[in-house]
Amino acid sequence: MSTLERMRDWLRDHRLALDAALAAGVLVSMVAGSFVDAHGADGTTWSARTPDVLSLALMVLAAAALVFRRRAPMKVLAATVGVSLVELVTADPRAPVTMSAVVALFTVASATDRPTTWRVGLLTMTVLTAVAMLAGPLPWYAQENLGVFAWTGMAAAAGDAVRSRRAFVHAIKERALRAERTREEEARRRVAEERLRIARDLHDVVAHHIALVNVQAGVAAHVMDKRPDQAKEALAHVREASRSALNELRATVGLLRQSGDPEAPTEPAPGLARLDELADTFRNAGLPVEVARSDSGTVLPAAADLAAYRVIQEALTNVRKHAGPGAKAEVSVVRVGPVVEVTVLDNGPDRDTVPGQDTGPEQAYGRGHEHGSGPDTGPQEGGGHGLLGMRERVTAIGGSCTAGPRYGGGFRVHAILPVKNHASALGDPV
């Protein structure tokens, strides 16, 4: 920090000392000006005339009042105007005591609002000029009287200009700070949304494929000795599922690459066009899956298409993991007006209900499925985030998703997805 900056900071912290220095400078100027005789034989002259004792006292009082000009600007202005009036009426020749009133008026104008500046400035100008013209020893048209009017007017105008500039600079700084805060909040929000979206994608990929790998690996280990052909088939399914998991993970992680990194994969995101392929992976894992579709000709937006695929994938993964042996799943995709309804049903038993305990659907589902939540609850301790991710993904595109036990056993996942995104024009055919 330079010497000038340190001095400026010190003066900002010691304003009273700065005002005292200003008052001393004004006093020196007034005393020096009192030696100037404006009516000498040859015009304005510099003489060794000693000012009157009253004029000296008035100058000292006015300068002392200026020390407190920031703390009580109105009172200081009143005091300096009063001292100036006494000097204007009694002194001949006059001492420039009015200089203190000019400084005080500048302070008031720079510290208050414009209406107050106009009122106080006009009143000060009128009183000082009128008294100087009518009650003083000089003629009313004397240059000193016009000087009083000019200096007070300039003080009010300069103070108002300083106040306006200070307010303008303050407004610019506030606007810049507000814009900076808004940018930071927007950046944090976008980062949080992107992190949540990537977490959902990773969960969908890992939960589905790793569950299949686990099942097929268990089958291979069980039949390795007695039925090696079936073990080879199971291991082939393991390899296919792991390859699919790696490909989808590579595509998801590619979103996190920087601009200078190698180009990310360009494989399109999965959608309902790959529904049969998805169902086959579960059939190969031993889960009978029936697919019924009545959405021919419907083209979903990319986000809705991916959401539908992920909902079905997550729901079938939960059936395979939690519905028990012998369970079956039914998947239906139906176009109903402006929406597509995706439903996944299973017939798995509610095997975790404790006899004699009053257990609602949410509690039964929390014990029997992956997610410790009902349709409207959050994950319980030890639960996963599959259904929560489903609901967030569908809600983000303007749809809705519900999940809960079926009457008589089993579970139902139902998602309603809009056929058009928010940017589509109303009334356009799909």
Side-chain angles (χ1 to χ4, degrees), residues 19-362:
D19 292 338
L22 176 63
V26 172
L27 177 60
V28 171
S29 299
M30 290 189 295
V31 172
S34 65
F35 289 94
V36 178
D37 186 4
H39 304 283
D42 299 326
T44 303
T45 60
W46 181 270
S47 65
R49 179 181 65 87
T50 302
D52 297 337
V53 176
L54 178 59
S55 295
L56 288 174
L58 294 176
M59 285 186 283
V60 171
L61 289 176
L66 290 178
V67 176
F68 307 100
R69 66 187 185 94
R70 295 181 192 268
R71 296 186 176 183
M74 287 293 186
K75 295 180 179 179
V76 171
L77 177 61
T80 54
V81 168
V83 172
S84 300
L85 291 177
V86 174
E87 174 67 17
L88 291 174
V89 173
T90 60
D92 186 21
R94 295 172 180 168
V97 180
T98 311
M99 185 184 299
S100 61
V102 170
V103 176
L105 180 58
F106 170 84
T107 303
V108 170
S110 64
T112 58
D113 53 10
R114 181 161 295 172
T116 302
T117 299
W118 276 96
R119 290 193 296 268
V120 175
L122 288 175
L123 179 62
T124 304
M125 291 166 58
T126 303
V127 170
L128 290 177
T129 305
V131 171
M133 288 183 175
L134 302 178
L138 299 178
W140 67 270
Y141 52 83
Q143 293 181 355
E144 288 87 341
N145 299 335
L146 298 178
V148 171
F149 178 83
W151 280 105
T152 51
M154 286 190 294
D160 182 71
V162 170
R163 180 196 55 77
S164 299
R165 182 182 180 280
R166 189 183 299 130
F168 178 72
V169 172
H170 179 73
I172 290 178
K173 291 181 179 179
E174 284 293 325
R175 192 179 300 112
L177 291 175
R178 187 164 55 249
E180 184 67 22
R181 287 194 298 268
T182 303
R183 284 194 297 269
E184 292 177 357
E185 293 172 359
E186 180 67 15
R188 285 194 295 268
R189 184 186 65 82
R190 289 181 179 274
V191 168
E193 290 179 353
E194 185 66 13
R195 183 165 57 243
L196 180 61
R197 187 184 66 79
I198 294 174
R200 285 198 301 262
D201 286 341
L202 289 175
H203 174 272
D204 292 340
V205 172
V206 172
H208 166 60
H209 292 291
I210 298 304
L212 294 181
V213 168
N214 181 62
V215 171
Q216 296 294 344
V219 171
H222 182 68
V223 300
M224 178 67 71
D225 297 330
K226 297 181 179 179
R227 302 179 62 182
D229 55 339
Q230 187 174 352
K232 289 181 179 180
E233 182 180 356
L235 291 176
H237 291 316
V238 168
R239 188 170 75 171
E240 183 65 27
S242 61
R243 182 187 297 113
S244 299
L246 289 174
N247 290 336
E248 293 198 32
L249 284 173
R250 187 180 299 111
T252 302
V253 175
L255 298 175
L256 303 178
R257 296 182 184 272
Q258 302 296 327
S259 58
D261 293 340
E263 185 177 356
T266 57
E267 181 182 357
L272 291 179
R274 296 175 55 183
L275 179 56
D276 292 335
E277 178 185 343
L278 177 65
D280 288 339
T281 62
F282 285 98
R283 294 188 186 105
N284 294 332
L287 174 66
V289 179
E290 296 182 5
V291 179
R293 300 186 63 175
S294 62
D295 62 327
S296 59
T298 300
V299 179
L300 289 174
D305 199 25
L306 176 60
Y309 182 88
R310 293 304 189 196
V311 167
I312 296 172
Q313 182 185 57
E314 178 64 28
L316 291 178
T317 301
N318 284 342
V319 174
R320 186 66 188 84
K321 291 168 63 178
H322 303 294
K328 298 180 180 180
E330 299 177 5
V331 178
S332 66
V333 182
V334 182
R335 169 72 181 269
V336 182
V339 299
V340 168
E341 296 188 7
V342 175
T343 306
V344 180
L345 306 175
D346 71 77
N347 62 346
D350 186 12
R351 63 191 183 283
D352 292 321
T353 303
V354 180
Q357 183 178 355
D358 185 11
T359 306
E362 293 82 356

